[in-house]
Amino acid sequence: MPQPTDPGRTRFTIDDRVLQRVPDYVLGVIAVPALDVPPGHPVSELLLAAAEDAFQARRLDKAGVAALPGIAAWRDAYRAVGLNPNRFPCAAEAIARRVAKGDRLPRINALVDLCNAVSLATGLPVASCHVGDVAEELTVRPADGSETFLPLGRPDAPEHPEPGEVIFADRRGQAHSRRWNWRQSHGVATGVGPHRLLLTVEAADHADAAEVDAALDWLRDALTAMDGPRVHRLRLDRTVRTGFPFAAATVAAGTLP
């Protein structure tokens, strides 16, 4: 797919229909204009190992993981949009369950490992999304069922989200997630090498907005320590639902150009 001619005009939006169901949804974004993602880095490895150790020291069982404030709020949000969180745990709960059982997370690359570390520490879904092929707009919205989702590692087996399912979608009808943040698409997965990235942090309860800000700070500081580029940050919620992350600017609903 062609890249946007002006990355600064890439717009990120939360659809009003999502906010009607989950009014306290908060989406924090860090835009990384260009980064050559390494296979690993001492900073991300140290952060992830420390997060795993700290989480395992809490000795949580499955119920204890589900009761963590950020994860509990996501379980309620999933129910609000018609999803069963026991069958489809949010991304943060999925990795937390794994670590709680005593496992270590697979090391993918420096950016994915960094996001997993911050997710474990905050209990919030944190993702790295390669958006070099995403043109003009990403919207968190209900699916109409016509969109195409390419499963991670299986891009030759496309799926169609169920109507009403919350997805991250672009203008071409590509769904870049399934069931909100349960699964990421092959198209936006971050691999090793040069990328234009959006790092996302999501909270389902406005009480966790401070955790979103803390996670964004953590990601920014880690990228700086990894000799990353200057980054832009953006936070969207029911008060400001649309913004341009690569332009480091936001516009309020009703004033879109």
Side-chain angles (χ1 to χ4, degrees):
M1 286 186 274
Q3 294 188 11
T5 55
D6 181 3
R9 301 305 294 171
T10 299
R11 180 159 55 192
F12 216 148
T13 301
I14 305 173
D15 190 283
D16 283 338
R17 292 169 292 176
V18 173
L19 293 169
Q20 287 168 6
R21 295 287 190 92
V22 186
D24 290 332
Y25 176 53
V26 179
L27 173 62
V29 182
I30 282 185
V32 186
L35 180 67
D36 194 356
V37 177
H41 193 282
V43 170
S44 59
E45 174 55 35
L46 181 63
L47 289 173
L48 182 52
E52 290 169 329
D53 290 343
F55 197 86
Q56 289 175 351
R58 301 171 76 172
R59 300 187 181 279
L60 298 173
D61 59 11
K62 186 176 179 180
V65 169
L68 292 171
I71 289 174
W74 271 109
R75 291 176 67 85
D76 289 341
Y78 271 37
R79 293 186 189 98
V81 297
L83 293 173
N84 181 346
N86 294 318
R87 184 179 179 190
F88 304 111
C90 77
E93 184 172 358
I95 67 168
R97 284 184 186 179
R98 185 168 183 170
V99 175
K101 291 190 297 184
D103 295 339
R104 294 284 176 173
L105 295 174
R107 271 42 178 177
I108 307 299
N109 59 56
L111 257 290
V112 175
D113 295 350
L114 171 61
C115 290
N116 285 341
V118 176
S119 180
L120 272 178
T122 61
L124 300 177
V126 181
S128 175
C129 305
H130 161 61
V131 292
D133 292 335
V134 176
E136 297 180 345
E137 187 157 14
L138 271 175
T139 305
V140 185
R141 63 168 175 81
D144 61 27
S146 68
E147 300 87 357
T148 300
F149 173 84
L150 304 180
L152 186 62
R154 296 185 294 115
D156 55 346
E159 302 172 357
H160 296 289
E162 298 175 5
E165 179 182 324
V166 177
I167 59 173
F168 282 61
D170 65 23
R171 286 188 176 179
R172 297 190 182 94
Q174 297 294 309
H176 297 296
S177 71
R178 287 291 313 268
R179 299 179 177 93
W180 211 324
N181 50 48
W182 174 68
R183 288 286 186 271
Q184 187 183 64
S185 80
H186 186 87
V188 296
T190 300
V192 173
H195 293 285
R196 184 163 62 93
L197 301 164
L198 290 177
L199 309 184
T200 61
V201 183
E202 299 175 274
D205 188 326
H206 209 73
D208 290 320
E211 288 286 356
V212 171
D213 289 336
L216 294 177
D217 288 343
W218 200 341
L219 291 167
R220 179 202 60 205
D221 293 347
L223 286 168
T224 299
M226 293 163 62
D227 298 320
R230 180 176 179 271
V231 299
H232 305 151
R233 65 189 285 169
L234 171 69
R235 196 176 83 181
L236 302 177
D237 55 25
R238 65 176 179 263
T239 62
V240 178
R241 64 173 185 85
T242 301
F244 298 85
F246 288 98
T250 63
V251 293
T255 62
L256 305 184

